Amino acid sequence: MYYVPDGTRLCGFYECSECHSRFLSLMTAPSMICPACGRAVDYEIGPDEEMPELKEDAKLVKIIEDFLTETFAARRREHGNDCGISGMER
């Protein structure tokens, strides 16, 4: 499931070419660092090691505008906060 804050009017839907995870971001850049791959980097390096390089493997698939806000707001009005809607599903 994917989450964005209530009232979000614009977000980017990304897919990572490395680990194939999908996620929403409030940023809408053409590419960005994947939260799953970026978290896996070990920054504890020794004196002879190089700093790991973070790659922007997550590519923007789609920009989502107003759809989230209007759809979720309507369903929440109908069903209350516990309506089972938490974002887009894979």
Side-chain angles (χ1 to χ4, degrees), residues 2-55:
Y2 305 98
Y3 300 92
V4 292
D6 287 341
T8 299
R9 297 221 173 261
L10 179 76
C11 66
F13 181 60
Y14 292 85
E15 182 171 9
C16 179
S17 58
E18 193 69 26
C19 69
H20 303 288
S21 66
R22 296 177 177 179
F23 59 94
L24 292 175
S25 175
L26 298 177
M27 294 175 39
T28 55
S31 63
M32 65 185 309
I33 298 168
C34 172
C37 294
R39 206 178 2 211
V41 174
D42 183 12
Y43 288 105
E44 293 185 24
I45 59 173
D48 297 333
E49 298 175 333
E50 291 185 24
M51 185 70 145
E53 190 175 314
L54 291 175
K55 296 182 235 164

Side-chain angles (χ1 to χ4, degrees), residues 36-83:
C37 294
R39 206 178 2 211
V41 174
D42 183 12
Y43 288 105
E44 293 185 24
I45 59 173
D48 297 333
E49 298 175 333
E50 291 185 24
M51 185 70 145
E53 190 175 314
L54 291 175
K55 296 182 235 164
E56 293 188 347
D57 289 327
K59 304 297 180 203
L60 181 65
V61 175
K62 185 177 185 178
I63 293 178
I64 302 171
E65 298 180 66
D66 288 333
F67 168 78
L68 295 171
T69 304
E70 293 170 9
T71 303
F72 295 157
R75 291 199 181 165
R76 280 194 177 134
R77 280 193 298 273
E78 290 176 18
H79 304 286
N81 283 340
D82 189 29
C83 61

